[in-house]
Amino acid sequence: MNQTERAQRAISGDEDSFTLLIQESREKIYRMAFTYVRNKEDALEIVQETVYRAFISIHKLKQPQYFQTWLIKIAVNCALDHIRKAKKIVYMDKEHEGNYEQKPREDVIDLHDALDQLDEKSRTVIMLRYFEDMPIKDISDVLDIPLSSVKSIIYRGLEKLKVNIGERESLG
């Protein structure tokens, strides 16, 4: 059974299908959450909130083929809500054991610091595009913004990242 069929069953109330869909997506949701908050406990809390919100509103999903897009949208909103509630500066978790291990730690921190300098929408678009490898069309759907706006945000965001990283390198 493919993902769309499982999503259709989940919409109809099949909890096992919903569980399978979540199991297939949990790492992606965790990575997205961790990219926002950069600590394991908060990321896991965001994953939990995402699953809860998805579970209680799965019946509202009109097109099962867009389950992944819908779930990522919920995860992004949960992460942003978490950050707004916390209202604190988030630091890189020194014990992080994620995808960033291939890069020197200072490069990861520089990139995260530079991302923190972007406005919320630019940071979200850049993270979805380059951290989650999401197609531009899907980003447009997730964030409910025109495709041309996504492209402009990516261009301006990357330019600002280059400036931010360049400033850090010249200071270091």
Side-chain angles (χ1 to χ4, degrees), residues 56-142:
I56 64 171
S57 60
I58 185 72
H59 64 281
K60 295 178 184 177
L61 179 61
K62 302 286 187 239
Q63 297 176 303
Q65 67 270 27
Y66 296 117
F67 176 81
Q68 279 295 318
T69 303
W70 175 76
L71 189 62
I72 291 296
K73 184 174 187 173
I74 293 172
V76 167
N77 287 330
C78 286
L80 294 174
D81 288 349
H82 183 86
I83 290 168
R84 285 184 199 113
K85 286 178 189 171
K87 290 186 180 178
K88 62 181 179 183
I89 297 173
V90 181
Y91 296 98
M92 182 72 177
D93 182 357
K94 293 181 184 347
E95 296 177 21
H96 172 56
E97 298 176 4
N99 294 334
Y100 308 119
E101 288 180 354
Q102 299 95 1
K103 298 180 182 178
R105 175 133 334 254
E106 61 273 4
D107 290 348
V108 174
I109 293 171
D110 284 347
L111 177 58
H112 283 295
D113 289 345
L115 278 168
D116 287 344
Q117 300 303 312
L118 297 177
D119 62 276
E120 189 175 281
K121 188 173 281 188
S122 295
R123 183 173 51 246
T124 298
V125 168
I126 297 279
M127 287 173 24
L128 289 173
R129 180 70 181 122
Y130 298 104
F131 286 62
E132 295 302 321
D133 200 27
M134 186 178 283
I136 293 172
K137 172 72 173 98
D138 290 354
I139 296 170
S140 172
D141 293 341
V142 165

Side-chain angles (χ1 to χ4, degrees), residues 21-38:
L21 288 166
I22 294 300
Q23 286 174 346
E24 293 169 356
S25 304
R26 70 178 178 229
E27 286 182 36
K28 187 176 213 173
I29 297 168
Y30 177 81
R31 278 194 322 269
M32 172 64 65
F34 192 91
T35 303
Y36 276 96
V37 295
R38 293 192 224 66

